[in-house]
């Protein structure tokens, strides 16, 4: 879809959805308005009944946000897109509009904490949820039921960086008339295009790579036009009430102009950091889909475009003498100078997260270790700095435990 389909990604991400505006402004104007005036009652009637295109009220649509939506739909190859005030708003709008009591869904057993929370609560609304290791297609097949409406997965698991096979999952879902919904936040275009791989719906926390500057919270859903009627009309507008603000839509539009350049640099830096980490004495193992040591390296090469493997690297510290693994990892984290100790990802600044001490602190040790979240695990979001400076920062942090 889109006006520049026969162009390369770097061109498309700049020009798609740009549209025309009354004064010929090159940058999309920010329409900071809650409501839209009608020429007459008749004009209002036509817009409300969708007989005539147009905006009626900011919760259901806004021209700045519409430009962002058109760009995202075009670059991911979807029919329609809808921007939300957060990634969680996008996810909740999908669940709350497409599911009803009596439906069954399969959700990955390792999901971002917020999505995990939503999946946890769906049974309260009469929706059955099976939590499955979705990286194993046979387990997914076995969990399918006649009332399975959708399979929900993340393209790359957090923080273990395992990969879901989108093509295989789409085939399983479609074989029984279900949908595949993929959270593509960790693997943005030009790296991964879930809809082109067979997914029905792709979504992002735009807070991360799509905006790419660490200064907003936002989300986007890309879906077939027919599904979007309810995702927007019921999920976003009525139940969740979480439209993207025009200012934030504008910031994401601006951020996306450099998406191609940024994602390639994030991936280049992550690859350099992953290779460097693999050679370090203090490191027990490195998890990065671009390394041949990653168990799904072959799948990653097939699924991700242009030799891009993402900006995230996880690794496990060895237990040094005279210190627990938790203590050693904490000491390394506290010694970092360029990497900021913070959650989130996809910012120009490199970030480091210690799952056992931060995001997964409340998860019982046995439970988190079963999914690979040990006391020695550190997750890095490699930013846009010089790769050698990032490696040097890690080197000086490791020196504190050796
Ligand atoms: C994979 C993934 N999906 C969804 C979200 C939620 O996005 P937001 O924080 O924009 O609501 C996050 C947040 O970190 C995430 O990592």
């Amino acid at each position: 879809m889109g006006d520049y389909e026969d162009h390369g990604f770097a061109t498309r991400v700049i020009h798609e959805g740009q549209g025309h505006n009354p004064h010929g402004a090159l940058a999309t104007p920010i329409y900071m308005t809650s409501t839209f005036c009608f020429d007459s009652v008749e004009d209002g009637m036509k817009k409300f009944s969708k007989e005539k295109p147009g905006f009626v009220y900011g919760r259901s649509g806004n021209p700045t946000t519409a430009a962002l939506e058109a760009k995202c739909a075009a670059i991911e190859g979807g029919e329609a897109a809808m921007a939300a005030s957060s990634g969680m708003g996008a996810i909740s709008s999908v669940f709350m509009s497409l599911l009803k009591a009596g439906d069954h869904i399969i959700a990955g057993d390792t999901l971002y904490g917020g999505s995990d929370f939503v999946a946890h609560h769906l049974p309260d609304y009469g929706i059955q949820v099976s939590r499955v290791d979705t990286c194993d297609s046979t387990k997914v097949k076995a969990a399918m039921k006649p009332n399975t409406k959708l399979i929900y997965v993340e393209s790359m698991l957090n923080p273990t960086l395992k990969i879901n096979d989108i093509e295989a999952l789409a085939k399983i879902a479609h074989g029984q008339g279900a949908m595949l919904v993929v959270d593509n936040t960790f693997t943005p275009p030009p790296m991964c295009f879930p809809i082109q791989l067979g997914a029905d719906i792709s979504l992002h926390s735009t807070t991360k790579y799509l905006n790419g500057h660490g200064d907003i919270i936002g989300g986007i859903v890309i879906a077939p036009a027919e599904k979007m009627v309810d995702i927007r009309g019921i999920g976003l507008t009525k139940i969740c009430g979480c439209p993207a603000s025009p200012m934030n839509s504008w910031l994401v539009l601006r951020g996306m102009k450099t998406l191609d350049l940024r994602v390639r640099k994030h991936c280049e830096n992550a690859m350099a950091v992953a290779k460097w980490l693999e050679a370090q004495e203090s490191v027990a193992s490195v998890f990065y889909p671009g390394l041949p040591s990653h168990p799904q390296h072959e799948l990653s090469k097939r699924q991700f475009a242009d030799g891009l493997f993402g900006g995230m690297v996880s690794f496990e510290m060895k237990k040094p003498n005279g210190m627990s693994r938790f203590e050693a990892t904490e000491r390394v984290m506290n010694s970092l100078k360029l990497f900021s100790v913070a959650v989130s990802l996809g910012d120009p600044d490199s970030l480091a997260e210690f799952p056992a001490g931060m995001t997964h602190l409340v998860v019982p040790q046995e439970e988190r270790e079963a999914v690979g979240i040990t006391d020695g695990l550190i997750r890095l979001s490699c930013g846009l700095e010089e790769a050698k400076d990032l490696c040097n920062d890690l080197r000086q942090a490791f020196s504190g435990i050796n």
Side-chain angles (χ1 to χ4, degrees):
M1 309 298 134
D3 297 332
Y4 298 86
E5 246 171 290
D6 54 345
H7 292 66
F9 181 81
T11 307
R12 299 190 71 204
V13 80
I14 291 173
H15 291 278
E16 293 284 14
Q18 193 76 4
H20 294 288
N21 57 74
H23 303 290
L26 178 61
T28 305
I30 310 172
Y31 289 90
M32 291 300 269
T33 183
S34 325
T35 197
F36 297 84
C37 303
F38 305 117
D39 295 341
S40 61
V41 171
E42 193 191 5
D43 180 47
M45 282 166 71
K46 286 186 176 160
K47 285 178 180 161
F48 267 103
S49 65
K50 309 258 186 308
E51 192 186 316
K52 184 175 173 186
F55 299 95
V56 297
Y57 184 59
R59 182 152 40 76
S60 53
N62 170 284
T64 313
T65 301
L68 171 63
E69 293 166 343
K71 189 185 288 295
C72 290
I75 64 158
E76 287 226 9
E79 286 178 359
M82 177 207 87
S85 60
S86 69
M88 285 319 305
I91 293 163
S92 303
S93 298
V94 168
F95 283 151
M96 300 315 282
S97 57
L98 299 186
L99 299 173
K100 61 179 187 330
D103 288 342
H104 168 251
I105 71 160
I106 294 176
D109 63 356
T110 311
L111 292 178
Y112 164 68
S115 315
D116 206 58
F117 179 84
V118 176
H120 231 84
H121 281 265
L122 289 177
D124 294 347
Y125 297 91
I127 298 156
Q128 302 162 33
V129 182
S130 300
R131 302 304 298 270
V132 174
D133 172 6
T134 47
C135 296
D136 183 341
S137 304
T138 51
K139 289 189 181 152
V140 179
K141 244 184 230 160
M144 291 293 287
K145 295 181 182 184
N147 58 339
T148 305
K149 271 285 160 59
L150 62 85
I151 301 176
Y152 180 78
V153 299
E154 290 169 6
S155 53
M156 189 183 281
L157 303 194
N158 173 33
T160 50
L161 308 192
K162 283 170 74 183
I163 309 297
N164 273 305
D165 185 337
I166 297 171
E167 271 180 332
L169 291 170
K171 275 194 196 119
I172 297 171
H174 298 161
Q176 283 188 225
M179 283 178 289
L180 175 66
V181 181
V182 177
D183 180 334
N184 198 27
T185 302
F186 271 52
T187 58
M191 179 180 168
C192 183
F193 299 86
I195 292 173
Q196 292 172 18
L197 291 166
D200 301 273
I201 297 178
S202 170
L203 57 87
H204 291 258
S205 162
T206 54
T207 311
K208 316 297 186 322
Y209 292 99
L210 295 201
N211 176 56
H213 291 75
D215 47 17
I216 64 117
I217 297 285
I220 192 108
V221 179
I222 302 117
E226 161 234 342
K227 299 283 176 214
M228 193 55 89
V229 173
D230 284 349
I231 300 173
R232 180 191 292 282
I234 297 175
L236 178 94
T237 309
K238 309 245 165 48
I239 300 180
C240 302
C242 57
S245 80
M247 183 70 208
N248 283 358
S249 294
W250 185 85
L251 284 165
V252 182
L253 275 169
R254 183 170 69 163
M256 285 183 71
K257 298 249 178 181
T258 56
L259 183 68
D260 185 75
L261 273 175
R262 286 187 292 101
V263 169
R264 291 178 195 280
K265 178 69 173 164
H266 282 293
C267 295
E268 185 187 310
N269 280 357
M271 179 66 98
V273 167
K275 282 186 178 160
W276 181 86
L277 282 167
E278 237 184 3
Q280 302 312 304
E281 254 306 296
S282 346
V283 173
S285 35
V286 182
F287 308 99
Y288 185 64
L291 295 177
S293 59
H294 189 285
Q296 292 157 302
H297 181 57
E298 290 307 315
L299 165 63
S300 306
K301 282 201 284 190
R302 260 198 336 270
Q303 182 155 291
F304 303 139
D306 290 353
L308 301 172
F309 295 100
M312 305 300 290
V313 180
S314 291
F315 66 98
E316 210 161 21
M317 301 296 302
K318 279 186 189 151
K319 181 192 154 348
N321 292 332
M323 225 187 286
S324 73
R325 271 231 281 196
F326 191 97
E327 263 179 307
T329 313
E330 190 178 5
R331 192 175 291 187
V332 167
M333 290 287 295
N334 286 339
S335 309
L336 290 166
K337 293 192 166 82
L338 275 182
F339 283 90
S340 298
V341 177
V343 294
S344 203
L345 55 139
D347 295 357
D349 307 54
S350 289
L351 309 173
E353 207 257 301
F354 175 23
M358 296 161 57
T359 46
H360 294 68
L361 186 64
V362 296
V363 181
Q365 185 163 8
E366 230 168 70
E367 216 175 286
R368 65 175 159 76
E369 289 199 347
V371 289
I373 302 171
T374 65
D375 284 353
L377 191 74
I378 292 179
R379 187 195 79 173
L380 303 176
S381 166
C382 296
L384 301 175
E385 303 95 335
E386 288 285 332
K388 77 170 168 12
D389 293 330
L390 298 180
C391 296
N392 284 339
D393 191 30
L394 290 161
R395 189 195 316 277
Q396 65 77 26
F398 290 167
S399 67
I401 54 162
N402 289 324

